[in-house]
Amino acid sequence: MRKKQAKGYGVHSPFAYDLITNVIYSPYSFYAFSDIYGIVSQHNINPEGSITTYNHLSFRLIHYLQAKDILEVNSGIGINTLFLVAPSKHISCICVEEDREKYFVAADLQRQRGVKIGFVSSLSECQGERFDAIFINFERGYIPDMETLTELSHSGTFWVLHPIKKGRGKQFWHKIVHDLRARMTFDVKDTGIVFLRSDFHKENYLV
């Protein structure tokens, strides 16, 4: 059953309610946002045109759920990576990016951040790893299947998929929502959030 809930109204799961009210619809900003805007500007990238609410949500999810080992698939020039690693210096992030020009821009953005970031060109280089969070950009690059994502996850892993309203993202999201392994999903405008915890009841929230 697909639940259409806005800002937590009628949501009975304490976890889901807390995530919706304190993370997805959080009214608060963070000092890190200003720092990242400055970093992006220093690299002659217009922050107003390149930073979105999706990036802010990425930060809040990592901050709230305290993910430490992150995988970002199709990471591009690394804008969202800045938000993923900003919550803590204890975070380790592996970025998968096939385009070497984008990889070099991303590496330059991340330089001197004091966070462990690895860049690889293929997801196959991550075999045997398990991550706390997996972020996938559907607009470009390789799209892993459900089995591959599951192999890279543990029971507490969450996935963040963007965008999910068109093309490959829409098709993939439809499969995810109906897959029993995706125990709790949140459809947040153009972003999908997936939790694998087996102790969760199967629920699909449109928020």
Side-chain angles (χ1 to χ4, degrees):
M1 181 175 63
R2 190 160 183 73
K3 294 177 179 278
K4 295 185 177 180
Q5 307 291 352
K7 299 188 178 179
Y9 299 121
V11 175
H12 300 294
S13 163
F15 175 84
Y17 180 84
D18 208 30
L19 190 79
I20 293 169
T21 57
N22 292 321
V23 181
I24 294 173
Y25 284 107
S26 172
Y28 304 110
S29 185
F30 292 84
Y31 290 118
F33 293 178
S34 297
D35 294 340
I36 294 172
Y37 273 69
I39 292 170
V40 172
S41 297
Q42 290 170 12
H43 286 78
N44 298 316
I45 301 171
N46 177 14
E48 299 301 327
S50 56
I51 294 176
T52 68
T53 55
Y54 166 68
N55 305 131
H56 293 171
L57 176 60
S58 296
F59 175 97
R60 292 198 301 269
L61 286 167
I62 296 298
H63 180 265
Y64 180 80
L65 296 165
Q66 299 184 349
K68 292 296 186 289
D69 295 306
I70 303 169
L71 175 66
E72 187 179 18
V73 182
N74 307 324
S75 54
I77 63 171
I79 298 295
N80 200 56
T81 314
L82 291 170
F83 287 87
L84 295 178
V85 300
S88 171
K89 289 191 175 182
H90 298 292
I91 290 173
S92 174
C93 183
I94 294 180
C95 299
V96 182
E97 178 52 56
E98 297 173 332
D99 188 321
R100 289 185 63 81
E101 290 186 10
K102 291 178 180 177
Y103 156 86
F104 286 124
V105 173
D108 192 43
L109 277 176
Q110 298 296 340
R111 194 162 285 121
Q112 298 179 343
R113 292 290 291 167
V115 180
K116 293 186 294 182
I117 299 176
F119 293 93
V120 297
S121 60
S122 171
L123 196 58
S124 63
E125 298 179 57
C126 302
Q127 287 184 345
E129 302 271 0
R130 295 290 185 274
F131 298 91
D132 302 324
I134 300 176
F135 286 70
I136 304 174
N137 186 331
F138 284 119
E139 290 187 311
R140 56 180 176 268
Y142 166 74
I143 303 300
D145 56 29
M146 185 76 174
E147 284 64 35
T148 299
L149 288 179
T150 302
E151 290 173 1
L152 293 166
S153 305
H154 53 72
S155 60
T157 299
F158 66 94
W159 306 338
V160 182
L161 318 172
H162 180 87
I164 59 169
K165 298 302 184 185
K166 60 183 179 181
R168 297 183 298 173
K170 184 176 181 178
Q171 296 171 9
F172 194 88
W173 182 246
H174 179 76
K175 293 179 181 178
I176 288 287
V177 167
H178 293 90
D179 194 302
L180 291 177
R181 289 170 291 185
R183 301 305 300 165
M184 189 176 289
T185 59
F186 297 80
D187 186 327
V188 188
K189 296 180 180 177
D190 204 14
T191 299
I193 306 168
V194 182
F195 292 91
L196 305 177
R197 284 175 48 179
S198 60
D199 58 325
F200 283 168
H201 293 293
K202 177 68 175 172
E203 299 282 1
N204 307 301
Y205 294 100
L206 177 60
V207 296

